[in-house]
């Protein structure tokens, strides 16, 4: 029997789900029912119980029909009546309960070893989560007589308030008197819940944003102090005895680890804002003459909560002396190292660590170390890279960061010497994740008051007032924009308005969304800018038919112009014949047309988005220098499944990917190939080094770092397979799309050409599958006929692209999720197992006209649109709901609900250009009906810990049944998961990470357990280098090498602090080294993926600079200088002096030694070649 609904009459209107479930658990246990769901219908004084055990549920009902007057049915002063329900149970709820019981049994089995012993533990009452609050304060930590004290700057007593401790959030809800704006800096009222006398405030804090918590266990009071990075909230519990319940939550792992002890509170003090005002006065003291770069770091000390503003003011004179003696740049470096050394203030922090004298001593050591380092000009002179300051605005605070390397754009290049006047600002939640509008929390005021105020009025940092400037299309979705502080350039005042005016003529645009998109072209990251003669630019007509633009976004260029573009590529790169560009007001693709003579750049009207730009350079933002791999995602897999592609086709792809991971440990060459395939260690030259060490005969299998490196890469790829269902397709590619300019291709034909790693040109032939991401409509995947062309065809000159036909009633790109040719990437596969017998008709949605405000657009309009977009963007939600309903409906993506969501997704994609959002009421009703139940492949995975002895997988835990209580407001309700019967669920369940790694280490030829690991392979490399270079004196470079290692350590720690999601859960150095982050729960958020990209780019830039310095042959003008310096670096990289062991945090891997080893062995190779060739030349 598949499940049953049971009617329970006699519940009271005040009954809670939690209490009723606890009561029913005792009745259901004897019938072997431990997982069930209860829904209370208060209007009718009854409840509905659902269980997946239909037979046992029927026995339960029959028993209490026979024993209707049993005392066990007495509940809250009344008697319950048990009856058979009249409705069928919700199919997905039944499947949820089935999965939860299976997970419980699995957890018991993994923990105790025998399924027979599995017994539920639901008789224990759930922990109290909600507590009354009698007073609330905000402040910070201070230290008096070496003891931590809480220093409040706002205090509210006699409150009507509650604090709810959820699984992931602390939710505060309180009322204060109207007119008291002391809390305006941290939260905002719900507009529909205010009256003339009282404001209702809501504040939601993710635990991931709480650095520490402390409980005061004194009998006469009960205090909770939670520390964010900037401030500390101080809650006095109404009932002092509740502190024991909070300690229970901590023991159960629900709360962050608490420091139990005395929390001393001082009298009400100066507000944080007043203290910051005093810091500003100190800035303005003419005796100091701080540069902006130094002011930024000083303000960061206070604003990010490293020190209180008062403590920072006490350091001002000392920092001023340091800047006067050593200069601005070394002072900035010394201050940035200070951020890595200072702990966050809290009850467990030693007062001596934050004492003013101790901070001065640290700063003095830092500046002396920085001053001794050799200058590294290459780090700041990388082409098209600018050091930009950043800020993150949360609902409660503003955090400062940087300056960090930022890829250039048109505006930055034009004002390259004024990069300190530009600010990159991002709006985020307290934990650094994307902040979403949640109707349940009524947090729209955060967008419309807090965030809007920053965008409209600007932000002051270090004496400069930064104002909103603009954003690119991609940064809009990342809730990131550019701000600018006015400056003088060539005797002209440059501000945001003058920059926008200089970009082009936007006066004819009446839509804020469209105007912002056009201006945003200037803020698109472009790798390089190439001047071009405006006279060489031609504009030709678009190819149009039936209202369709076949040439939408694509132009051509002559061989001469192409060579100019190719000259910007890396010498080792394959010369590209297709480029994605920006030029003046135009954007799109240009491809080689060998029929054009001279210097010709051909544009089309569809490429030109605005006029009036005086810029005459081609900016490159994409290069088709190589074929990108084809990786199927969930959307493509689901549509292919609905097009009747058999399950075994996908299973074979996943099995092949898993076999590759499994085989990576069978030999060193396989391991190096895996790292190379996933672009691990390109900057560090890790794959070359691994092969080199192996060729020298040294055993990498003895090295712990090599084991951890390979483990981390394999785990990340396994997580991509299991939790993202990303299936690599060998017979496929991802390529830029362009149009056939020669009219060679017939309707339905494509020309697909690419260059492989060996440099051979390949062309697809026969029927191919073509698609584009994101794909939601079943018609977003089509087939085409790939052909080869005559030898003399101009198309033969093109490679790493797919060329679409210009014939037929409708262009193929527009059939693929509304694609065009201005830079879209297309997926192509010639794998016969993935080619459907027939395809669905492609979607054809009407284009929505952008919202027109009837006048020219201002910066204010665009800033308001930025707020509107953050608040109303539904793109991710629509895509997620489509994935859920496509799994729940038998017809999948062909169901009307999914068709509707596919159309809404198109509207949401265009929201950034039209200003028209998707509304809640437009979503299908099934999104709300079954929205809480999701397929298991969307569930979070096992928690992963990276420890000294390797990777640890924790047990899977079933979802908390108490989480379904609707009274638990304040925390976003979690989803519950059922086993999907479709291919995505099958693929998900076929991978068990823990079992995979157990098998991997048992059969590995290159991985050993800890007991067999030796001192490390780099020590053997060092002995080899010494033997090969006898007589060379490398010791003169030892001090320089030590300074380089210290600078590298500081850089790595800076990246770890910047990109870690929580102060207590920092990244590992090995994650920085490989440029990817091991997901601790199987799920990686969008923000984490963006951070990961930024982390890799920043680390790679710094490592390339470090490599260049190590291998510099001309710094001292000494023979074999690069070899000697790299030898010294290798030596200090493998030696661990005692003082460094104390300074470096436990668990870190010394990756500096591996970088030095690569540089050293490279130089040794060249040294040996010169030594061997020299005598031969003499003989000849």
């Amino acid at each position: 029997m598949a499940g049953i609904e049971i009617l329970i009459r006699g519940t009271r209107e005040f009954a809670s789900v939690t209490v009723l479930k606890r009561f029913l658990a005792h009745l259901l246990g004897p019938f072997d029912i431990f997982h069930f769901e209860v829904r209370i219908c208060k209007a009718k004084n009854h409840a509905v119980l659902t269980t997946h055990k239909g037979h046992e549920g029927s026995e339960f009902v029959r028993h209490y029909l026979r024993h209707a007057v049993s005392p066990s049915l007495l509940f809250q002063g009344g008697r319950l009546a048990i009856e058979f329900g009249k409705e069928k149970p919700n199919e997905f709820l039944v499947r949820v309960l089935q999965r939860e019981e299976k997970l419980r049994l699995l957890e018991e089995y993994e923990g105790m070893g025998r399924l027979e012993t599995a017994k539920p533990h639901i008789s224990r009452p759930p922990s109290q989560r909600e507590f009354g609050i009698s007073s609330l304060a905000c402040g910070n930590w201070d230290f008096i007589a070496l003891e931590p004290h809480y220093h409040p700057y706002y205090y509210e007593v006699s409150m009507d308030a509650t604090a709810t401790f959820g699984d992931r959030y602390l939710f505060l809800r309180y009322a204060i008197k109207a007119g008291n704006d002391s809390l305006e800096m941290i939260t905002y009222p719900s507009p529909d819940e205010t009256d003339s006398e009282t404001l209702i405030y809501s504040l939601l804090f993710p635990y991931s944003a709480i650095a520490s918590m402390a409980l005061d266990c004194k009998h006469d009071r009960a205090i909770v102090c939670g520390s964010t990075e900037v401030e500390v909230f101080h809650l006095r519990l109404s009932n002092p005895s509740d502190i024991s319940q909070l300690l229970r939550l901590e023991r159960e792992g629900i709360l962050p680890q608490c420091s139990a002890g005395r929390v001393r509170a001082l009298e009400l003090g100066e507000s944080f804002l007043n203290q910051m005002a005093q810091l500003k006065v100190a800035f303005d003291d003419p005796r100091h003459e701080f540069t902006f770069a130094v002011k930024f770091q000083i303000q960061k000390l206070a604003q990010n909560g490293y020190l209180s503003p008062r403590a920072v003011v006490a350091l001002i004179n000392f920092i001023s002396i340091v800047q006067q003696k050593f200069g601005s740049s070394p002072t900035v470096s010394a201050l940035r190292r200070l951020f890595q050394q200072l702990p966050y203030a809290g009850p467990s922090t030693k007062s001596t660590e934050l004492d003013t004298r101790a901070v001065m001593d640290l700063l003095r050591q830092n500046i002396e170390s920085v001053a001794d380092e050799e200058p590294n000009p290459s780090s700041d002179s990388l082409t098209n890279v600018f050091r930009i300051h950043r800020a993150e605005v949360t609902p409660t605070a503003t955090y400062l960061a940087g300056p960090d390397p930022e890829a250039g754009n048109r505006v930055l290049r034009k004002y390259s010497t004024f990069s300190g006047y530009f600010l990159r600002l991002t709006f985020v939640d307290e934990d650094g994740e994307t902040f979403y509008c949640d109707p349940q929390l009524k947090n729209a005021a955060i967008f419309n008051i807090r965030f809007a105020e920053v965008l409209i009025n600007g932000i002051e940092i270090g004496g400069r007032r930064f104002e909103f400037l603009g954003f690119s299309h991609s940064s809009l979705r990342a809730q990131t924009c550019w701000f600018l502080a006015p400056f003088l350039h060539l005797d002209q005042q440059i501000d945001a308005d003058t920059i926008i005016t200089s970009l082009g003529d936007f006066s004819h645009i009446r839509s804020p969304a469209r105007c912002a998109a056009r201006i945003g072209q200037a803020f698109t990251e472009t790798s390089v800018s190439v001047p071009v003669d405006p006279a060489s630019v031609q504009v030709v007509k678009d190819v149009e038919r039936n209202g369709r633009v076949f040439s939408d976004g694509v132009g051509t260029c002559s061989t001469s112009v192409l060579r100019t573009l190719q000259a910007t590529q890396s010498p080792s790169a394959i010369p590209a014949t297709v480029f994605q560009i920006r030029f003046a007001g135009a954007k799109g693709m240009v491809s080689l047309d060998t029929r054009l003579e001279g210097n010709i750049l051909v544009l089309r009207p569809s490429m030109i988005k605005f006029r009036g730009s005086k810029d005459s350079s081609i900016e490159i933002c994409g290069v088709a220098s190589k074929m990108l791999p084809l990786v199927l995602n969930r959307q493509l897999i689901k549509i292919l499944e609905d097009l009747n592609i058999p399950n075994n086709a996908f299973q074979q792809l996943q099995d092949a990917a898993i076999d590759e991971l499994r085989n990576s440990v069978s030999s060193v060459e396989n391991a190096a190939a895996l790292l190379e395939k996933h672009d691990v260690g390109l900057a560090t030259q890790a794959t070359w080094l691994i092969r080199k060490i192996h060729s020298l005969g040294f055993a990498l299998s003895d090295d712990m770092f090599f084991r951890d490196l390979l483990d981390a890469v394999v785990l990340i790829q396994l997580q991509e397979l299991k939790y993202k269902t990303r299936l690599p397709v060998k017979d496929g590619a991802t390529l830029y799309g362009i149009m056939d300019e020669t009219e060679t291709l017939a309707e339905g034909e494509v020309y697909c050409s690419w260059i492989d790693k060996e440099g051979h040109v390949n062309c697809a032939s026969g029927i191919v599958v073509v698609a584009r991401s994101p794909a939601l409509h079943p018609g977003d995947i089509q087939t085409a006929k790939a052909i080869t062309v005559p030898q003399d065809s101009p198309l033969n000159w093109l490679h790493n692209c797919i060329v679409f036909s210009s014939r037929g009633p409708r262009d193929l790109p527009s059939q693929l999720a509304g694609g065009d040719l201005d830079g879209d990437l297309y997926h192509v596969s010639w794998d016969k197992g993935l080619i459907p017998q027939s395809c669905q008709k492609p979607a054809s949605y009407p284009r929505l006209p952008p919202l027109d405000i009837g006048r020219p657009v201002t910066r204010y309009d665009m800033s308001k649109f930025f707020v509107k977009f953050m608040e109303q963007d539904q793109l991710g939600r629509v895509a997620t709901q489509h994935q859920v309903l496509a799994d729940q409906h038998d017809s999948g993506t062909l169901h009307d609900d999914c068709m509707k969501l596919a159309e809404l997704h198109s509207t949401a994609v265009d929201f950034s250009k039209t200003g028209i959002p998707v509304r809640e009421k437009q979503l299908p009703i099934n999104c709300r009906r079954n929205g809480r139940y999701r397929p298991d492949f969307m569930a979070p995975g096992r928690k992963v810990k990276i420890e000294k002895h390797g990777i640890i997988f924790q047990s899977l835990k079933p979802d908390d049944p108490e989480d379904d209580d609707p009274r638990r407001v304040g925390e976003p309700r979690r989803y519950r998961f059922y086993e999907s019967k479709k291919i995505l669920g099958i693929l998900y369940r076929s991978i068990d990470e823990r079992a995979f790694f157990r098998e991997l280490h048992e059969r590995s030829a290159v991985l050993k357990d800890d007991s067999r690991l030796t001192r490390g392979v780099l020590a053997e490399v060092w002995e080899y280098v010494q033997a090969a270079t006898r007589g060379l004196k490398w010791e003169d470079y030892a001090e320089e090498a030590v300074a380089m290692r210290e600078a590298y350590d500081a850089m790595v720690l800076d990246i770890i602090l910047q990109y870690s999601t929580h102060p207590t859960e920092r990244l590992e150095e090995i994650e920085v080294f490989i440029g990817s982050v091991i997901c601790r729960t199987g799920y990686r958020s969008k923000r984490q993926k963006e951070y990961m990209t930024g982390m890799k780019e920043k680390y790679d830039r710094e490592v390339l600079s470090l490599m260049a310095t190590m291998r510099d042959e001309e710094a001292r003008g000494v023979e074999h200088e690069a070899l000697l310096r790299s030898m010294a670096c290798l030596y200090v990289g493998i030696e661990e002096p005692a003082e460094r062991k104390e300074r470096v945090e436990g668990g870190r891997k010394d990756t500096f030694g591996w970088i030095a080893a690569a540089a050293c062995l490279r130089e040794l190779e060249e040294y040996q070649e010169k030594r061997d060739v020299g005598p031969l030349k003499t003989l000849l």
Side-chain angles (χ1 to χ4, degrees), residues 1133-1166:
I1134 61 177
E1135 293 296 318
E1136 284 280 8
E1139 62 270 18
R1140 184 166 185 269
K1141 283 186 177 180
E1142 293 176 1
R1143 187 162 45 83
V1144 176
E1145 297 180 11
R1148 289 183 59 199
K1149 314 296 182 186
D1150 190 11
T1151 52
F1152 179 84
W1154 281 75
I1155 296 170
C1160 185
L1161 289 179
R1162 286 280 194 190
E1163 290 298 325
L1164 182 59
E1165 270 191 354
E1166 294 183 11

Side-chain angles (χ1 to χ4, degrees), residues 44 150 180 362 413 450 528 598 831 913 1100 1106 1177:
K44 299 180 180 180
Y150 176 71
N180 187 342
L362 281 175
R413 275 192 292 271
R450 165 69 172 157
V528 71
D831 185 327
K913 300 174 185 177
D1100 284 354
L1106 176 65
K1177 285 185 176 180

Side-chain angles (χ1 to χ4, degrees), residues 886-938:
D887 185 83
Q888 292 181 354
H889 293 307
D890 292 338
S891 53
T893 57
L894 299 171
H895 193 275
D896 289 345
D897 283 349
C898 293
M899 292 287 199
K900 177 63 175 176
L901 286 169
E903 183 176 3
L904 292 177
H905 189 269
S906 177
T907 301
V909 167
D910 291 339
F911 178 25
S912 60
K913 300 174 185 177
T914 64
I916 300 174
V918 171
R919 304 293 184 184
E920 170 84 19
K921 62 183 180 182
Q922 294 177 273
L923 298 175
I925 191 171
N926 280 319
C927 292
R928 297 181 290 277
R929 184 175 295 163
N930 294 324
R932 284 212 58 215
Y933 309 130
R934 292 185 170 182
D936 55 352
F937 57 81
M938 299 177 73

Side-chain angles (χ1 to χ4, degrees), residues 68-370:
V69 295
S70 170
S72 59
L73 293 178
L74 295 175
F75 175 71
Q76 292 185 340
R79 186 183 299 277
L80 300 181
I82 310 297
E83 304 175 10
F84 283 104
K86 298 179 181 179
E87 304 291 336
K88 287 185 178 181
N90 183 295
E91 173 194 354
F92 300 104
L93 174 56
V94 169
R95 288 164 65 181
V96 162
L97 296 171
Q98 290 171 339
R99 177 178 177 271
E100 289 175 356
E101 179 155 58
K102 187 179 292 186
L103 288 180
R104 178 182 61 81
L105 293 172
L106 178 62
E107 182 187 12
E108 293 285 348
Y109 177 75
E110 290 177 344
M112 304 177 65
R114 296 191 308 275
L115 280 170
E116 294 77 21
T117 63
K119 292 294 181 184
H121 301 287
I122 60 174
S123 58
R124 178 183 177 184
S127 303
Q128 180 179 343
R129 297 292 190 101
E130 187 175 293
F131 302 87
I133 302 298
S134 61
S135 68
L136 165 69
C138 293
N140 49 37
W141 292 110
D142 210 339
F143 293 90
I144 298 177
L146 303 183
E147 292 290 330
H149 286 66
Y150 176 71
H151 196 132
Y153 51 73
Y154 169 79
Y155 206 76
E156 182 74 27
V157 296
S158 302
M159 301 182 71
D160 177 17
T162 58
T164 303
F165 293 87
D167 290 339
R168 294 165 292 160
Y169 296 84
L170 167 60
F171 178 67
L172 302 178
R173 190 172 179 83
Y174 51 94
I176 64 174
K177 295 177 182 178
N180 187 342
D181 60 354
S182 301
L183 286 179
E184 285 288 318
M185 64 171 293
I186 67 165
T187 188
Y188 295 89
S190 304
D192 59 339
E193 295 191 35
T194 62
D195 56 39
S196 59
E197 298 181 356
T198 305
L199 299 179
I200 306 297
Y201 282 78
S202 297
L203 185 60
L204 187 70
F205 264 113
Y207 292 144
S208 55
I210 298 176
S212 65
M213 293 191 73
L215 307 180
D216 189 339
C217 301
K218 227 178 146 186
H219 293 301
D220 60 341
R221 62 178 179 175
I223 300 295
V224 183
C225 285
S227 308
T228 66
E229 293 183 359
V230 172
E231 59 197 356
V232 186
F233 49 87
H234 177 279
L235 313 175
R236 185 184 295 270
L237 303 183
S238 302
N239 183 359
S241 63
D242 281 347
I243 203 77
S244 61
Q245 293 295 324
L246 281 173
L247 288 172
R248 177 179 171 182
L249 292 178
E250 182 203 8
R251 289 194 300 269
E252 293 174 353
I254 295 169
L255 290 185
Q257 188 171 2
C258 300
S259 300
R262 299 193 59 159
V263 178
R264 300 176 183 270
L266 302 176
E267 294 298 322
L268 191 66
E270 280 187 301
S271 73
F272 183 81
L273 294 178
N274 286 342
Q275 293 182 50
M276 289 299 294
Q278 293 177 18
L279 181 58
K280 183 179 181 300
V281 171
F283 276 161
D284 296 336
D285 190 327
R287 294 174 299 171
H288 300 315
E289 297 183 351
F290 288 122
T291 64
F292 170 76
V294 172
K295 284 183 178 180
F296 186 93
Q297 304 304 326
I298 295 174
Q299 184 166 335
K300 179 180 173 182
L301 268 176
Q303 198 150 318
N304 288 29
Y306 292 98
L307 297 171
S308 70
R310 281 194 313 276
V312 176
V313 170
L315 292 170
I316 286 288
N317 288 333
F318 180 75
I319 298 174
S320 178
I321 294 171
V322 170
Q323 179 186 285
Q324 292 172 15
K325 182 177 180 181
F326 295 95
S328 176
S329 182
T331 304
V332 168
S333 298
L335 286 168
R336 294 192 72 175
R337 290 192 182 184
L338 196 63
F339 302 137
Q340 304 165 6
Q341 298 161 327
L342 294 176
Y344 281 116
S348 59
T349 307
K350 296 179 181 178
S351 61
T352 53
E353 295 178 287
L354 296 174
D355 177 73
T356 300
R357 189 174 297 278
V359 176
M360 287 182 179
D361 288 341
L362 281 175
L363 193 55
R364 186 181 294 109
Q365 295 170 17
N366 291 346
I367 194 65
E368 291 172 354
S369 175
V370 169

Side-chain angles (χ1 to χ4, degrees), residues 999-1046:
E999 177 197 352
L1000 194 73
H1001 283 263
E1002 287 173 354
R1003 58 176 290 179
S1004 171
V1006 298
L1007 300 178
K1008 293 183 178 180
D1009 58 44
D1010 290 339
S1011 64
R1012 299 164 63 195
L1013 293 175
T1014 65
R1015 57 180 177 155
V1017 73
L1018 293 189
E1020 298 177 73
V1021 170
W1022 172 242
E1023 292 176 359
Y1024 164 77
V1025 171
Q1026 282 184 298
T1029 58
R1030 284 193 175 92
L1032 295 184
K1033 301 296 184 183
W1034 57 268
E1035 291 83 356
D1036 291 344
Y1037 293 84
E1039 288 188 11
E1040 182 181 346
V1042 169
M1044 291 171 67
R1045 185 189 64 190
E1046 289 181 349

Side-chain angles (χ1 to χ4, degrees), residues 5 31 195 208 266 268 309 381 436 473 524 529 640 665 676 682 720 785 796 821 825 1036 1075:
E5 273 200 356
F31 295 88
D195 56 39
S208 55
L266 302 176
L268 191 66
S381 60
Y436 293 104
H473 180 263
T524 300
S529 177
L640 287 170
V665 300
E676 195 170 54
L682 293 181
E720 287 287 294
K785 182 180 180 182
N796 271 319
L821 301 176
L825 291 166
D1036 291 344

